Amino acid sequence: NAGVTQTPKFRVLKTGQSMTLLCAQDMNHEYMYWYRQDPGMGLRLIHYSVGEGTTAKGEVPDGYNVSRLKKQNFLLGLESAAPSQTSVYFCASSYSREQQPQHFGDGTRLSIL
Amino acid sequence: GNSVTQMEGPVTLSEEAFLTINCTYTATGYPSLFWYVQYPGEGLQLLLKATKADDKGSNKGFEATYRKETTSFHLEKGSVQVSDSAVYFCALMRSQGNLIFGKGTKLSVKP
C-alpha cells in the first residue's frame, strides 16, 4: 500500500551536474504530475503525463525533462542543475482527469550549490 | 488565466479558536475547488473539495462552501486544535486535470 513513492528524499548537487528524480505509483493511475514548491510560491506544475508514453509542459518546464516509459513511473531530469532549481519537488498521480484527489508523494528536497 | 489567491500567513490562534482562511479564485467557467493540508515534512493531503457552485466540502471539522457569486472558497473550522498546525493550500483544477495552487497559509495553534 505504498501509494506514491519518490526517490531520493534528499540530494545536494553542484551547479552543472545532472540527476534524475524517480516517482513510482502502484495505483495504476493514468495521470502523473511533477510540481516544485518554493517558499511563498505554493506548488507550481513542471510537467505532467496523461498516460504511458505521453508528457506535456506545465507552468515552469524550462530546465527540466521528463519521461513516462512505464505507466507506474514518471522521471524528472535535470540535465545541468542551476541554483534556481533548489526546491522541494513533489510528484502526484490520479486515475483520471476528473478523479481527485491527486495522491502526493512525500517530496524530494534538492539543493543546488 | 486561472489563479488562486489566499490570505497570507502566518496565522496564529489559541486552541479552540475559530479559524477562517480566505481563498478567492479567477477561472473560466466553474472549476472544481480544493483545500489541501501539508504537515511538517510531509506531502500534501486532500482536506476537502467541492465540484460545483453552492457545494459544501467538509472533513475533520473543516468546511468550505463554493461561492460562485464571490468566486470564493473560504476554509473554516469552529474550534482548532494544536494538531491542526500545518500549511493550508487552496487550489482549483484546470481542464487538463492539473491543479493551480495558492501560495499557502501557515497555521500555528498554541495550547
Side-chain angles (χ1 to χ4, degrees):
Chain A
N1 195 22
V4 178
T5 303
Q6 293 184 228
T7 309
K9 296 188 185 304
F10 304 95
R11 186 72 183 267
V12 178
L13 292 178
K14 294 181 180 179
T15 298
Q17 286 185 317
S18 63
M19 79 161 295
T20 300
L21 281 63
L22 172 63
C23 176
Q25 53 93 5
D26 60 2
M27 298 169 283
N28 200 35
H29 284 174
E30 291 291 338
Y31 285 59
M32 296 187 74
Y33 308 83
W34 276 108
Y35 293 88
R36 60 178 288 173
Q37 182 180 31
D38 301 295
M41 297 292 292
L43 277 75
R44 293 179 292 168
L45 183 67
I46 305 171
H47 286 280
Y48 65 101
S49 168
V50 302
E52 181 179 317
T54 74
T55 63
K57 294 180 179 180
E59 301 173 66
V60 288
D62 293 342
Y64 305 95
N65 56 75
V66 287
S67 64
R68 184 93 181 272
L69 299 180
K70 294 183 179 180
K71 186 177 184 179
Q72 63 268 32
N73 296 334
F74 194 30
L75 278 62
L76 178 70
L78 287 73
E79 291 187 349
S80 179
S84 61
Q85 293 177 304
T86 293
S87 187
V88 181
Y89 293 85
F90 286 99
C91 177
S93 71
S94 60
Y95 183 75
S96 67
R97 187 199 73 83
E98 294 79 17
Q99 189 196 57
Q100 298 291 343
Q102 292 181 0
H103 295 258
F104 283 82
D106 288 339
T108 295
R109 186 173 296 276
L110 183 62
S111 295
I112 315 296
L113 305 179
Chain B
N2 299 321
S3 66
V4 175
T5 303
Q6 60 183 104
M7 64 185 288
E8 294 186 16
V11 174
T12 303
L13 296 174
S14 297
E15 208 165 22
E16 300 184 359
F18 184 86
L19 168 71
T20 299
I21 300 178
N22 291 338
C23 172
T24 58
Y25 68 90
T26 301
T28 304
Y30 303 108
S32 295
L33 301 173
F34 307 84
W35 276 101
Y36 282 82
V37 59
Q38 184 179 31
Y39 298 103
E42 299 184 8
L44 276 71
Q45 303 174 25
L46 179 70
L47 181 59
L48 54 84
K49 67 179 181 181
T51 58
K52 61 182 185 294
D54 299 326
D55 266 3
K56 177 184 284 188
S58 61
N59 185 27
K60 299 180 180 180
F62 291 89
E63 293 183 341
T65 301
Y66 191 142
R67 303 285 189 197
K68 69 175 182 178
E69 305 84 7
T70 54
T71 61
S72 64
F73 193 54
H74 304 322
L75 181 68
E76 296 180 336
K77 187 175 185 181
S79 177
V80 294
Q81 304 301 312
V82 172
S83 57
D84 293 327
S85 297
V87 181
Y88 293 82
F89 293 92
C90 185
L92 65 82
M93 187 175 73
R94 294 183 65 201
S95 57
Q96 297 93 327
N98 63 287
L99 297 168
I100 300 293
F101 289 90
K103 294 182 178 180
T105 302
K106 183 176 181 179
L107 171 67
S108 295
V109 181
K110 306 298 184 184

